[in-house]
Structures are given as C-alpha cells and as structure tokens.
C-alpha cells in the first residue's frame, strides 16, 4: 500500500506527513479523542489541527511511523485526497441546533456511509445543512442540501478553489425520502459522463444546466 492509500500527505518540510482519521460529520467520542491525544504524544507529532472538512489532522508524522500510528488509532483514513467523494460536511441541524429545520446529521451520516471515498472522475464534496444559514458551505459544494420547513433545497456544481463556482439549486423542498435516490442519480451521471479530472460543476457548464436536469428527469 502506497502513502496516498494510507491517507498520508507530505508536509512542507518534505520529511513528515499528516493523516486525518475519518470522523463522520466531525462527530467524535471522548474515547476517540483520548486515543488520538495518546497517539500524538507517543509519536511526538508536531500538531493536531481541526480542518474545515470536519476532520482532525495529525500533523508531523515520520514516514516509518505511519503504519504504527494507524494501528494504534484503530481508525480508518478520511478521504482527504484523491479522486473520490470526500467526507460529507454536516451541520448540527435539528439534532443540536435551535435554528435547525431539518435533520442534517441523520441525512449526512447516511450519505457519508454510502459515498465516502467512492472513486469518481474528480473529487466530489457534499454539504448538508439543516437550515438556510448553510453552515456546511453548501453553495460551494458539488452537491449541497439545505433544510427547509418543507424538505430540502438541493444544489449542484458548487466548488471553491482558484475558479470558484456557486452551486445551482435544481430542486426546492425535496422530501427527505427522495433525497438519496436523487443524489444517487447525480453521482451516477457524473461518474458515467464526466471526463477524468472534470468537476461536477465543469461538467454542468459543458453540457448545460437544462441538459443536466433532463438527465435527472427534472426538466420543466
């Protein structure tokens, strides 16, 4: 298994690596926190860094220690790199937040369990927010779900980076039971039709939003 398969990312010093265990929606147990802290001390890592993708990066690991670090953690790598579905970003929703209109935690967990690390033409990011405050940065996610009092607004094609693109809402007030089937359609069309290294938003730009909606059977 090579370093990328181990989730190890070379750092600026060109000598050490960072890894990020998979934490669904950034939710972590006290025992997991204790284990991570113990491992960090055991291998004298440089830093523990909370990331914008709701992971906890362990930074400054020697290459010869990577296998032992993963063994001691007893956790799986988060999909922080590679051409795949990254960890789904989830806001607290109705599980914890007083402003939540919909259960983003439950829906986000389901999406993460189904799609996390799925290989695709390029990286794909999903954000699930329980209300229009969009704390999961839905507008710059390839697939964004925003909770409403009547269901979910679903957007597609967002991305950040050097050439940012705001996602376009293609369905308003989608019932919860219809979310997973539609997301599956979106991902399948992207997997089958996009060229290698083409982001979902770039694919939509190429074929046109109306054609994409036709492919999803969402045409007006």
């Amino acid at each position: 298994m090579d370093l990328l398969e181990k989730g190890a990312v070379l750092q600026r010093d060109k000598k050490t690596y960072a890894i990020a265990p998979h934490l669904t929606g950034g939710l972590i147990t006290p025992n997991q926190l204790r284990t991570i802290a113990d491992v960090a001390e055991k291998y004298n890592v440089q830093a523990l860094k909370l990331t914008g993708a709701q992971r906890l990066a362990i930074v400054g690991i020697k290459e010869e220690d990577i296998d032992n670090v993963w063994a001691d953690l007893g956790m799986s790598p988060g999909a922080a790199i590679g051409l795949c579905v990254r960890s789904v970003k989830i806001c607290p929703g109705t599980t914890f937040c007083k402003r939540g209109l919909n259960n983003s935690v439950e829906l986000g967990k389901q999406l993460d369990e189904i799609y996390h690390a799925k290989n695709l033409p390029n990286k794909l990011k999903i954000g699930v927010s329980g209300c229009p405050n969009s704390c999961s940065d839905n507008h710059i996610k390839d697939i964004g779900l925003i909770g409403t009092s009547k269901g979910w607004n679903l957007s597609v094609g967002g991305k950040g980076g050097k050439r940012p693109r705001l996602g376009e809402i293609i369905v308003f007030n989608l019932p919860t039971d219809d979310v997973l089937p539609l997301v599956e359609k979106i991902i399948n069309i992207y997997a089958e039709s996009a060229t290698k290294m083409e982001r979902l938003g770039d694919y939509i730009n190429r074929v046109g939003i109306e054609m994409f909606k036709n492919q999803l059977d969402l045409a007006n």
Side-chain angles (χ1 to χ4, degrees), residues 15-36:
K15 297 178 181 178
T16 63
Y17 293 80
I19 64 171
H22 183 49
L23 302 171
T24 302
L27 297 170
I28 188 169
T29 68
N31 283 338
Q32 287 174 320
L33 273 175
R34 291 187 188 97
T35 298
I36 291 171

Side-chain angles (χ1 to χ4, degrees), residues 128-189:
V128 186
S129 292
C131 84
N133 282 349
S134 189
C135 292
S136 294
D137 304 323
N138 304 75
H139 299 94
I140 55 169
K141 294 289 188 281
D142 297 272
I143 299 173
L145 288 152
I146 297 177
T148 73
S149 60
K150 298 179 180 180
W152 301 90
N153 292 345
L154 188 150
S155 63
V156 293
K159 66 174 182 176
K162 294 180 180 179
R163 296 180 179 178
R165 184 187 194 278
L166 291 179
E168 300 177 61
I169 296 177
I170 57 172
V171 183
F172 290 88
N173 300 318
L174 183 68
T176 298
D177 288 345
D178 295 337
V179 171
L180 293 182
L182 183 53
V183 170
E184 182 176 9
K185 275 188 177 182
I186 292 168
I187 290 178
N188 286 343
I189 288 169

